[in-house]
Amino acid sequence: MEVERRKENVYIDGFKAFLYLMKKGVKKDFDKNQALKEIQEMVDITNRQFVTRLKEAYPKLSTHDLQFASLLRLGVEKEGIAEIFVIDPHSIFRKKTRFSKKLGLNNAHELDEFIRKF
């Protein structure tokens, strides 16, 4: 349990650094796609194979969908997600609604509970 908590803390610190780099444009060679891939991998490791199980249950989900689900699983606020995907924060609700439909859910509100329990 303690080892998992330490992994998660390291991961959260890395995520904060990722957001900082995105906001400031600190590194010209910063690869957002690679960073998102690493976030997805860390979510999988620290959340009982969340991404792997989601991919197996819903094989038609895109890489982008899995990245979005990973950010939701982390509890990233809509403003943070909007910044990462370079979209308006108001568009996140539409994005959640579309993603919900891919999972066979009725609405974006059900998605939050699904992501938390999956």
Side-chain angles (χ1 to χ4, degrees):
M1 183 80 144
E2 182 61 31
V3 172
E4 287 298 317
R5 193 175 323 206
R6 277 185 283 185
K7 281 184 191 176
E8 195 167 312
N9 287 340
V10 167
Y11 171 67
I12 289 169
D13 290 342
F15 182 70
K16 287 178 184 175
F18 165 72
L19 285 178
Y20 175 80
L21 289 172
M22 282 196 58
K23 285 181 184 177
K24 301 295 181 188
V26 174
K27 292 173 66 176
K28 289 187 185 280
D29 61 343
F30 178 70
D31 185 348
K32 182 177 93 168
N33 291 327
Q34 180 61 32
L36 281 167
K37 181 180 177 189
E38 289 174 19
I39 286 170
Q40 182 178 322
E41 289 170 1
M42 284 304 296
V43 167
D44 205 40
I45 291 167
T46 60
N47 288 270
R48 299 178 357 256
Q49 304 299 102
F50 172 76
V51 178
T52 301
R53 290 183 293 115
L54 192 60
K55 199 181 324 182
E56 288 172 358
Y58 302 91
K60 292 187 179 186
L61 292 179
S62 69
T63 299
H64 187 80
D65 292 331
L66 296 170
Q67 291 169 344
F68 183 62
S70 296
L71 294 171
L72 292 175
R73 178 67 178 225
L74 281 174
V76 177
E77 298 292 328
K78 69 178 180 181
E79 293 79 12
I81 294 173
E83 202 167 315
I84 290 166
F85 289 120
V86 192
I87 59 176
D88 188 274
H90 294 82
S91 299
I92 297 300
F93 185 76
R94 282 190 300 264
K95 188 171 186 60
K96 286 175 78 172
T97 300
R98 289 184 194 116
F99 186 58
S100 297
K101 289 180 181 178
K102 289 182 178 185
L103 300 175
L105 303 171
N106 293 320
N107 57 53
H109 299 293
E110 287 183 11
L111 178 63
D112 294 328
E113 187 171 341
F114 173 86
I115 292 292
R116 192 172 47 255
K117 291 182 176 179
F118 188 82

